Amino acid sequence: MEDLSPALGKLRAALSPEQERVILKNLMKQKLKFPEGFLWGASTSSYQIEGGIDNNDWAISKKVPRAGKACDSYNRYREDFSMAKYLHHNAHRMSVEWARIEPKKGQFNEDALHRYHEMLQYLKDQGLKTFLTLHHFTNPIWFAEQGGWKNKRAVEDFADYTAKVTQSLGHLVDFWITVNEPKMYAGMAFAQGIWPPFEKGIISPKRVYDLMLEAHNEAYDVIHSYYPQAQVGFSQNIAWSEAEHKDIIDRLAIKFADWLSYLALDKTRYDFIGLNHYMYYRVHLAFNLRKYLHIGRGDKLTERGWAIHPDALYLVLMKLKGYQKPIYITENGIADSTDRYREQYIRDYLLAVHRAIGDGADVRGYLHWSLLDNFEWEDGYKWKFGLIKVDFKTLARTIRESAYSYSHICQDNALTV
Ligand code: BGC
């Protein structure tokens, strides 16, 4: 074989140390492949993007901002889904608005169902797999007025609504998410009193949580009665928490938080686990309860003040592995108006996912939060989570740089490191 050393020597002499470093780095790059058929995409929810919803419990409340016209995605969904397709997403998670579909108890709005049919059909026509959420934090007014999720009737009402949606749209749904983050909802609406109906209870949060899980179980059976092969689950927000000190109180606090998170998986029927992951905490119980959570010290924080700690996702996935069900990451993302950190955030969290898969976690998809900048609940339009930027005056959409970098990963089904 020809001796290449002299030629290589000449080449090196012509390069600056920096150029040599870049070339070596590129030569050493490797592609971390994800399992075949892995689902890639983004998540959205109806009230956060659709616009024009004026008959749910959020829209009529004076204590929280209103979504108003939001991104007008109810009308511009073709543009939005075409961008998802263009960005090489092969799956998308959206939700339907209960208040649109059932504006009065027992009365279903066929026009709304027709529109959702068009949306799902459009996704299917683009070749995307569909995840459909039935409840993403908002409720019809009639439902809220009869006591909402505190009233046992909620379970039956949710089952009736689920049956109607399944009959009308079921053939277009690949994955069902019955309820989004029941624990978060119960906490924000019934313990902290930040979301409608603004209650600060001690007993009712657990009751609400339990009723939502019961409603999920009923909905699970309803969907399966129409489509025995359906894939049905719910999305749970699971953080990773560590004790700040090794004392018993902090450790007990974590045990309690974990118990609440994983309890749902022991109490329910599900075909897959939907994981929403954003948070990492160091827990320290102090007398001033407001200060009991220390956000990861030493970690970078997002604009929203959430710690960036990709290892937390790895650790949650390793814990979920024990439940022996497929896992789909149904939300993970960063508030980043500058788009300076999103690309690295996605890469680092996906590296954690890849490592967890290598260590046996059956993760089958990743849906980034979110496709678009959107209405972020009690904070209105303050946080920018979108792969696509939305100008809320003109409603013009602009694809962010990070969305292109994520798009390469989706297209390659691999992360190049
Ligand atoms: C919720 C989304 C929300 C996101 C970011 C998640 O817990 O499901 O609706 O936009 O957090 O705040």
Side-chain angles (χ1 to χ4, degrees), residues 38 271-275 316-330 360-366:
F38 198 82
D271 303 308
F272 64 88
I273 297 173
L275 170 66
V316 170
L317 289 172
M318 291 321 287
K319 194 144 177 177
L320 290 178
K321 174 183 152 183
Y323 291 86
Q324 297 182 334
K325 286 281 162 88
I327 303 166
Y328 292 90
I329 296 168
T330 43
D362 185 9
V363 188
R364 300 194 184 177
Y366 174 87

Side-chain angles (χ1 to χ4, degrees), residues 45 47-49 58 65-67 136-137 195 278 304 306 331 334-335 369-370 372-386 392:
S45 96
Y47 190 59
Q48 295 183 268
I49 61 164
W58 276 75
R66 284 187 199 169
H136 199 122
F137 299 156
W195 294 351
Y278 294 93
R304 225 188 147 163
W306 297 348
E331 286 184 35
I334 173 174
W369 186 269
S370 181
L372 304 162
D373 286 342
N374 64 19
F375 175 77
E376 278 291 330
W377 306 111
E378 71 278 13
D379 292 325
Y381 289 95
K382 192 165 170 193
W383 313 118
K384 311 297 181 196
F385 275 91
F392 287 101

Side-chain angles (χ1 to χ4, degrees), residues 118-173:
E118 286 177 336
M119 288 185 188
L120 289 163
Q121 186 66 57
Y122 194 78
L123 284 169
K124 288 263 153 202
D125 292 346
Q126 310 277 320
L128 276 77
K129 295 270 185 217
T130 53
F131 284 73
L132 191 72
T133 309
L134 293 168
H135 185 273
H136 199 122
F137 299 156
T138 54
N139 302 293
I141 295 167
W142 61 264
F143 178 84
E145 281 175 353
Q146 71 178 28
W149 288 98
K150 268 189 358 188
N151 185 336
K152 181 107 179 84
R153 279 159 69 180
V155 176
E156 207 183 305
D157 289 336
F158 190 69
D160 291 345
Y161 156 64
T162 302
K164 183 69 185 175
V165 175
T166 311
Q167 285 160 9
S168 308
L169 309 174
H171 57 296
L172 297 170
V173 179

